[in-house]
Amino acid sequence: MSEAKSAGRVILGGARATAFGFAIRFGARIAFLYIAARLFGLALFGAYTLAVAAVELAVTLGGLGFKRILFKRLEEEGGDRPHIHIVLDAAILVAAVSLALGGLFVLAVAATPAGLVSGDVAWALVVLAPMIAGQALIDLFLAGTRWTHVIRYEVLGRSVIEPYAALAAALAAWLLGYRESGLLIAYWAGTLGALAYALVGARRCLGAFRLAAYRFAPGRILPLLRASAAATLNDVLSGLFVRVDLWLVGIFLGVGPAGIYGMARQIRTPVRQVRQSFDGLLNPIIARTLALKGPTQTGIAAASAARLILAVQLPILIALAFGGVPLLAWFGPAFVLGYWALLLLAAAEMIQGAFGVSDLILLYRRPLAQLGITATGIAINLVAGWLLIGPLGVTGAGLSVLIGVAAGALIRRISLSAYFGIRIPLRYSAGPIVAASLGVAAAFGVQALVGEAPLILLAAGLVTYAAALKAWLHATGDSLALDKFETGAGA
């Protein structure tokens, strides 16, 4: 079996396992959202959503970029020291920075004048602040397990233990009368459960911690921080990019609309999870392909992954288009106002998920260029949100995200061509897009005949999409196979 085929099988195996985990996780997410919206109410859910967005942005800073650059460090230093000790170096720094950020959250809330921030949001920020460290350490230790090409700890930790522990804790808190803080208790429960399991996974994959033999040299701090600086800044900017729209909604419209918009963001999650399903093993293998074969072949390999990811994402977008209204209404009538925001966010996530695969090429070889692309996307998103949220409400927020993501994708494409000569024809991904367009057209045609029947329309759209995609593959002799990846000798 060729090296490229072997790498493709590794990536697809990890993607299938992770996707199965995400399906399980999404079931818990839907149940949690139902409890949060129906039992705790729109205002508390909105406040929780805003606070969690702030905490998760802090996690990207506290994580110091190690969930991505850890692979590079393990490759370069693994011959000199035990792999688990390399991870522990990163864990000490991550824990220290994350706890300091949590302390800053508490001080910021204490110093904020009364009335400037909603009381529910302020309380949630204080309670959730320590979990910045918990979430950042989960990311780090699970990255260590993925470096060994073992994906089950990521799947079980993030997709089973964390969401279902949070779900159980939220329901228990409500039954016990903790109506104001039940969602916050749930976040603690999910985080601590997943962290404990991530530690178990790291030990099994990378070996015993051997703490008696471990020494953290203070002299490693500055080199580690320098090595992680570009990845950290890029992660923070990316985290800001995917959350600034929510905060703008909270500023302009208040916690209630923030809850509606937050629900739309949650429901579009399956589109994001398609890309995340691949990331567990795609990221380290892209890093290895780049090291072994250079940026040009890595660009071709990334394009094959982008096309496959797009082909999987598009039917989810069709499903949201024709099933989004009844799904949102299930959480409460007010949430239907987020339908168009849901579609716009899903489209933006699809563009970023598929065509953002090549980010790692720029991050490793031209980190400042990657930072510039991310910063430009944020600026465009901010300006568009500032202009659109007032007149269009939550729909304007979704549109601002789509504009920012599309601009970033265009700039990324130009940069890859300019720096590395990577030029992937647009027709490379045309098949899935044309098939999806035909699927949507077929669903609208059926709608003209049978009226509003979501299940029938959804079936018509998906069947047409699958048939059109298969016909395109047959006519062109092309495939959706992953190509040109390298796992490295002996992997």
Side-chain angles (χ1 to χ4, degrees):
M1 180 181 297
S2 71
E3 188 69 25
K5 288 183 178 179
S6 173
R9 288 171 65 90
V10 170
I11 294 169
L12 286 175
R16 282 192 292 267
T18 308
F20 176 72
F22 279 143
I24 298 172
R25 184 178 185 176
F26 191 63
R29 183 187 297 272
I30 288 292
F32 180 82
L33 292 174
Y34 184 83
I35 289 173
R38 291 286 189 175
L39 299 184
F40 292 92
L42 181 59
L44 281 177
F45 176 68
Y48 171 80
T49 301
L50 290 169
V52 168
V55 167
E56 289 177 347
L57 178 61
V59 170
T60 64
L61 177 56
L64 297 174
F66 280 114
K67 69 178 181 181
R68 290 205 283 176
I69 69 164
L70 181 65
F71 309 126
K72 185 172 182 290
R73 293 198 62 241
L74 288 169
E75 292 284 347
E76 293 174 350
E77 302 178 30
D80 301 326
R81 302 173 62 212
H83 293 132
I84 193 66
H85 287 179
I86 296 172
V87 176
L88 288 178
D89 288 347
I92 290 172
L93 279 179
V94 165
V97 172
S98 297
L99 289 172
L101 288 171
L104 289 176
F105 267 46
V106 175
L107 291 176
V109 169
T112 300
L116 188 60
V117 177
S118 163
D120 290 332
V121 175
W123 171 240
L125 287 172
V126 170
V127 174
L128 296 182
M131 292 299 98
I132 296 171
Q135 288 289 330
L137 289 171
I138 292 171
D139 285 340
L140 173 68
F141 287 115
L142 290 180
T145 66
R146 295 199 311 274
W147 180 76
T148 66
H149 293 182
V150 175
I151 202 70
R152 64 178 177 273
Y153 296 105
E154 175 87 24
V155 172
L156 291 175
R158 285 297 196 186
S159 299
V160 178
I161 294 173
E162 183 178 9
Y164 283 93
L167 174 62
L171 185 57
W174 187 83
L175 292 173
L176 292 172
Y178 293 96
R179 307 295 166 83
E180 299 295 320
S181 56
L183 296 177
L184 311 180
I185 293 171
Y187 195 88
W188 269 73
T191 300
L192 294 179
L195 177 57
Y197 187 69
L199 286 167
V200 171
R203 187 185 187 283
R204 290 180 177 175
C205 290
L206 298 170
F209 287 104
R210 296 169 55 193
L211 296 178
Y214 173 71
R215 297 291 183 275
F216 180 79
R220 294 195 191 109
I221 294 176
L222 287 179
L224 284 173
L225 291 177
R226 281 195 297 267
S228 67
T232 302
L233 184 54
N234 185 70
D235 284 350
V236 171
L237 289 176
S238 298
L240 180 61
F241 181 72
V242 299
R243 293 173 179 87
V244 68
D245 54 319
L246 177 61
W247 294 328
L248 287 174
V249 170
I251 292 170
F252 281 107
L253 305 177
V255 293
I260 294 171
Y261 189 68
M263 184 65 74
R265 286 165 52 91
Q266 293 290 332
I267 299 301
R268 65 90 199 261
T269 297
V271 181
R272 169 176 291 187
Q273 289 177 336
V274 171
R275 166 64 188 273
Q276 291 175 333
S277 296
F278 286 85
D279 273 350
L281 294 178
L282 181 63
N283 284 353
I285 289 179
I286 282 182
R288 189 162 295 170
T289 303
L290 186 61
L292 295 175
K293 296 296 182 181
T296 302
Q297 178 166 317
T298 307
I300 298 171
S304 72
R307 182 172 57 183
L308 176 58
I309 291 169
L310 186 67
V312 180
Q313 288 175 323
L314 282 165
I316 301 175
L317 186 60
I318 294 172
L320 292 176
F322 294 99
V325 169
L327 180 57
L328 288 168
W330 184 61
F331 297 101
F335 291 103
V336 176
L337 296 174
Y339 171 71
W340 285 107
L342 167 62
L343 294 187
L344 292 166
L345 288 169
E349 196 64 57
M350 183 184 67
I351 294 171
Q352 178 61 28
F355 300 110
V357 173
S358 53
D359 277 349
L360 276 181
I361 300 174
L362 288 165
L363 182 63
Y364 286 151
R365 294 297 175 90
R366 294 278 184 168
L368 292 180
Q370 177 57 35
L371 292 175
I373 293 170
T374 306
T376 301
I378 292 173
I380 293 172
N381 189 3
L382 274 171
V383 172
W386 195 270
L387 296 174
L388 297 173
I389 291 175
L392 299 178
V394 296
T395 301
L399 182 57
S400 71
V401 174
L402 180 58
I403 292 171
V405 168
L410 179 60
I411 297 170
R412 183 188 304 112
R413 181 179 178 84
I414 294 170
S415 300
L416 289 170
S417 175
Y419 290 128
F420 309 113
I422 299 172
R423 299 178 181 89
I424 306 299
L426 291 174
R427 56 181 168 78
Y428 194 76
S429 299
I433 296 172
V434 172
S437 300
L438 293 173
V440 171
F444 277 123
V446 172
Q447 185 180 39
L449 297 175
V450 303
E452 294 295 335
L455 291 179
I456 296 175
L457 301 181
L458 178 59
L462 294 180
V463 169
T464 303
Y465 170 77
L469 183 58
K470 185 175 181 180
W472 172 73
L473 292 174
H474 178 74
T476 60
D478 212 336
S479 75
L480 296 176
L482 297 172
D483 194 22
K484 303 296 184 183
F485 284 105
E486 299 283 343
T487 59

